[in-house]
Amino acid sequence: LARAEFATLRLRLLKIAVRVQETTSRIRLAFASCCPEADLVRRLASALAPQPRAASP
């Protein structure tokens, strides 16, 4: 996807139907079992998630 055009990104990432479950501390996305891009979206979300900070000594 590094060299993909906007139309490709829109079709592959933005036009995905998911069920969103929001709690106080998490947002869960439930993909359809036949969604071919679910793994890609999971990897993108984990790459963009904030990393926990190490405790100061």
Side-chain angles (χ1 to χ4, degrees):
L1 292 176
R3 295 180 296 154
E5 294 182 12
F6 180 75
T8 304
L9 293 173
R10 185 174 72 80
L11 286 173
R12 292 187 71 185
L13 298 176
L14 299 179
K15 292 178 80 177
I16 297 175
V18 297
R19 183 179 58 205
V20 179
Q21 298 170 332
E22 186 176 352
T23 64
T24 57
S25 61
R26 294 178 192 224
I27 297 175
R28 289 184 158 209
L29 303 177
F31 296 95
S33 61
C34 63
C35 179
E37 306 298 340
D39 186 50
L40 175 62
V41 174
R42 282 187 198 103
R43 286 187 282 140
L44 285 172
S46 66
L48 296 173
Q51 301 298 319
R53 290 184 170 176
S56 298

